[in-house]
Amino acid sequence: MADPSKGSLNTATVREKWNLRQCIEGCARHGLGGIAPWRDKLAECGIDEASRMIRDNGLTVTGLCRAGLFPASDAAAFQANLDENRRAVDEAVAIDAECVVLVAGGLPVGSRDLPGARAQVRDGIAATLEYARGVGMKLAIEPLHPMYAADRACVNTLAHANDLCDELGEGLGVAVDVYHVWWDPNVATEIARAGKDRILAFHVCDWLVPTTDLLLDRGMMGDGVIDIPAIRAMVEATGFDGLYEVEIFSAENWWKRDPDEVLTTVVERLGSAV
Amino acid sequence: MADPSKGSLNTATVREKWNLRQCIEGCARHGLGGIAPWRDKLAECGIDEASRMIRDNGLTVTGLCRAGLFPASDAAAFQANLDENRRAVDEAVAIDAECVVLVAGGLPVGSRDLPGARAQVRDGIAATLEYARGVGMKLAIEPLHPMYAADRACVNTLAHANDLCDELGEGLGVAVDVYHVWWDPNVATEIARAGKDRILAFHVCDWLVPTTDLLLDRGMMGDGVIDIPAIRAMVEATGFDGLYEVEIFSAENWWKRDPDEVLTTVVERLGSAV
């Protein structure tokens, strides 16, 4: 039997058909306990209106997606990225989010300097963290699957994210998404290492076989090969008691369906496959 | 200035247009020093004929592709996989290959038990290794990119491959393919850990941005974002002095071209991008 209130809707899951207002109303209708808006949806709705609606419906904001994307080809572009991250932190404060999700960013166009990009990510997080501490907002590094190292995120393992937390300290944590970490032989060790204090978000979806697109072919929980209950157990063994945030990029399947059907399925699968 | 004799042609690079005989003649014509046949091409040619032609053209066989693929749903299927691996070892001996390349295999159909699959891989390698030692053939574990963990190979990092070498011992090594390891923050450490004795093969191609297919959209060296010279330097710093094996799965580009054009480009890029 599913407890829908343990679920949080990442707006990416229904992004083709619902705006943020519809997402919030959908969460309430299906009994989900939380929401994780993307910044474009938030901007479209307006922060004040979004904040009021989220509060009125009693939803937890499990994260604001997304900031990060630090590496840049020159100092001016890097500074612009830092400025954008500060705006994201301010927005997260305004909607009382539990964290800002940081996706590291990939190689600057034309670059092959992966260690250099990783150094920019560290510096960018350090600068953003200083600002975030001042306004009481936590930052969650979401390591992305290694297939995104070139163009989306050059932090690709929990080990690397934990190393950054060790180095940069208080206020920084991780977002554990089963899609990105399920393959990692060190996943249990690194989840335990992160611990309750650092695990700021837990995201679920599934890895389909075959996967036909690197970005937009993620599966509904239970339709793929990830042992989600095993990873959830690792996360909860740390003491994590947050919501299960459902984030599914699925251009050819779930994005095309009626979002109410999607949320009905999400609630079922939270009970049977998470 | 390229030295074509440092290159080895993995037959997958031209597999749509050339049989093994044409590959061997192509290597000779372009001055490549080695070849790495896939087993289907070898069977089609016949082992005796292939062996004679390779010897007559003075080519080094940098590896036989491929064996492994151990995990199975039941004991009979697992045993059949072991038998197939023995046949691959025998073929490698017959053509005087430097190693048999092992691709671990993924999850059995319907399974979500990744630790179980990895245990089968360990057991399968152990059994194959015992046989290979008896006939003087080395086995090279090729860790594949984590995006293949479900359906092709559940050994996805050099660290995991090195751990298996530590556990199983003499006669077992690794094949380092830049495509599979370039994203790994531990690549330098793990290449150094493998060392000269364990690095049995070095494969090159490139990671394209964007990558439009998980398997068949690999790039020619220099067309992507991998810092290949940096990884080559790590490999050669161990004392490795073997050939650079070129393995490019490219259904929509290189596989459609005249293989002589492909080999001309390979030779150029061995000089400019490796």
Side-chain angles (χ1 to χ4, degrees):
Chain A
M1 177 63 194
D3 174 7
S5 72
K6 279 294 284 182
S8 173
L9 175 67
N10 184 297
T11 64
T13 304
V14 292
R15 77 174 200 191
E16 296 298 303
K17 296 197 185 270
W18 275 358
N19 60 27
L20 184 52
R21 167 184 286 273
Q22 291 171 303
C23 288
I24 294 167
E25 291 169 346
C27 286
R29 197 158 55 245
H30 291 267
L32 293 171
I35 192 163
W38 278 58
R39 293 183 67 207
D40 56 343
K41 297 280 186 197
L42 183 60
E44 182 189 67
C45 181
I47 290 177
D48 292 344
E49 171 71 358
S51 190
R52 186 191 62 72
M53 284 190 70
I54 289 167
R55 197 172 51 243
D56 288 353
N57 284 283
L59 297 175
T60 297
V61 179
T62 51
L64 177 66
C65 289
R66 63 186 182 180
L69 305 175
F70 294 107
S73 299
D74 59 52
F78 183 69
Q79 184 59 50
N81 292 346
L82 295 186
D83 295 344
E84 192 61 35
N85 273 272
R86 287 190 177 208
R87 283 190 286 275
V89 169
D90 289 339
E91 291 168 19
V93 170
I95 61 170
D96 199 20
E98 295 190 329
C99 61
V100 174
V101 172
L102 298 185
V103 166
L107 294 165
V109 173
S111 169
R112 294 190 178 94
D113 181 10
L114 191 57
R118 287 172 169 160
Q120 288 193 60
V121 168
R122 181 200 59 218
D123 294 346
I125 293 176
T128 305
L129 186 59
E130 190 180 348
Y131 181 75
R133 283 181 187 138
V135 296
M137 179 50 56
K138 291 194 172 181
L139 304 180
I141 305 169
E142 182 173 3
L144 296 200
H145 195 284
M147 69 184 171
Y148 303 120
D151 52 359
R152 282 189 172 75
C154 59
V155 176
N156 306 107
T157 59
L158 275 171
H160 188 177
N162 272 324
D163 288 347
L164 287 165
C165 291
D166 284 348
E167 181 179 351
L168 301 176
E170 181 60 29
L172 186 60
V174 301
V176 177
D177 185 320
V178 297
Y179 193 79
H180 299 305
V181 306
W182 75 277
W183 63 272
D184 186 345
N186 299 320
V187 62
T189 316
E190 293 295 332
I191 285 173
R193 177 182 164 202
K196 182 180 199 291
D197 287 349
R198 275 189 193 164
I199 299 177
L200 303 179
F202 177 55
H203 298 182
V204 293
C205 67
D206 214 334
W207 181 281
L208 299 176
V209 176
T211 291
T212 60
D213 186 274
L214 275 75
L215 184 62
L216 302 180
D217 192 33
R218 300 186 192 176
M220 178 65 66
M221 300 78 74
D223 288 346
V225 300
I226 303 177
D227 187 348
I228 304 173
I231 300 176
R232 177 182 57 74
M234 295 171 198
V235 167
E236 294 186 336
T238 68
F240 176 87
D241 59 0
L243 302 186
Y244 311 144
E245 181 179 324
V246 178
E247 184 181 34
I248 305 173
F249 292 74
S250 171
E252 298 302 321
N253 185 357
W254 298 101
W255 285 0
K256 291 188 168 173
R257 302 200 195 192
D258 173 358
D260 275 304
E261 180 199 344
V262 177
L263 287 202
T264 297
T265 309
V266 161
V267 170
E268 286 170 6
R269 300 298 177 83
L270 286 171
S272 64
V274 174
Chain B
M1 178 59 195
D3 174 8
S5 72
K6 278 295 282 182
S8 173
L9 176 66
N10 184 297
T11 63
T13 305
V14 293
R15 78 174 199 190
E16 296 297 304
K17 296 195 184 270
W18 276 357
N19 60 28
L20 183 53
R21 167 183 286 274
Q22 290 170 303
C23 287
I24 294 167
E25 292 168 346
C27 285
R29 196 158 58 244
H30 291 268
L32 292 171
I35 193 163
W38 277 58
R39 293 183 66 207
D40 57 341
K41 297 280 187 196
L42 183 60
E44 180 190 69
C45 181
I47 290 177
D48 291 345
E49 171 71 359
S51 191
R52 187 192 61 73
M53 284 191 70
I54 290 167
R55 197 172 51 243
D56 287 353
N57 284 283
L59 298 176
T60 297
V61 180
T62 51
L64 176 65
C65 288
R66 63 184 181 181
L69 306 175
F70 294 107
S73 298
D74 58 53
F78 183 70
Q79 184 58 51
N81 291 346
L82 295 187
D83 296 344
E84 192 61 36
N85 273 272
R86 288 190 176 207
R87 283 191 286 275
V89 169
D90 289 339
E91 291 168 19
V93 170
I95 61 171
D96 199 19
E98 295 189 329
C99 61
V100 175
V101 173
L102 298 185
V103 166
L107 294 166
V109 172
S111 169
R112 294 190 178 96
D113 182 9
L114 190 58
R118 286 172 170 159
Q120 288 193 59
V121 169
R122 181 202 57 217
D123 294 345
I125 294 175
T128 305
L129 186 59
E130 190 179 347
Y131 182 75
R133 282 181 188 138
V135 296
M137 179 52 54
K138 292 194 172 181
L139 304 180
I141 305 169
E142 182 173 3
L144 296 200
H145 194 285
M147 69 184 171
Y148 303 121
D151 52 358
R152 283 191 171 72
C154 59
V155 176
N156 306 106
T157 58
L158 275 171
H160 187 177
N162 273 323
D163 289 346
L164 287 165
C165 291
D166 284 348
E167 180 179 351
L168 301 176
E170 181 61 29
L172 186 60
V174 300
V176 177
D177 185 319
V178 297
Y179 194 78
H180 299 304
V181 306
W182 75 278
W183 61 272
D184 187 345
N186 299 321
V187 63
T189 315
E190 293 295 332
I191 285 173
R193 177 183 164 201
K196 182 179 199 289
D197 288 347
R198 277 190 192 164
I199 299 177
L200 303 179
F202 177 55
H203 298 182
V204 293
C205 68
D206 214 335
W207 182 281
L208 299 177
V209 176
T211 291
T212 60
D213 185 274
L214 274 73
L215 184 62
L216 302 179
D217 191 32
R218 301 186 191 176
M220 178 65 66
M221 300 78 75
D223 289 345
V225 300
I226 303 176
D227 187 349
I228 303 172
I231 299 176
R232 178 183 56 75
M234 295 171 198
V235 167
E236 294 186 336
T238 68
F240 176 87
D241 59 0
L243 302 186
Y244 312 142
E245 181 179 323
V246 178
E247 184 180 33
I248 305 174
F249 290 75
S250 170
E252 299 302 321
N253 184 356
W254 297 102
W255 284 1
K256 291 188 169 174
R257 301 200 195 193
D258 173 359
D260 275 304
E261 180 199 345
V262 177
L263 288 202
T264 298
T265 309
V266 161
V267 170
E268 287 170 5
R269 300 298 177 83
L270 286 171
S272 64
V274 174

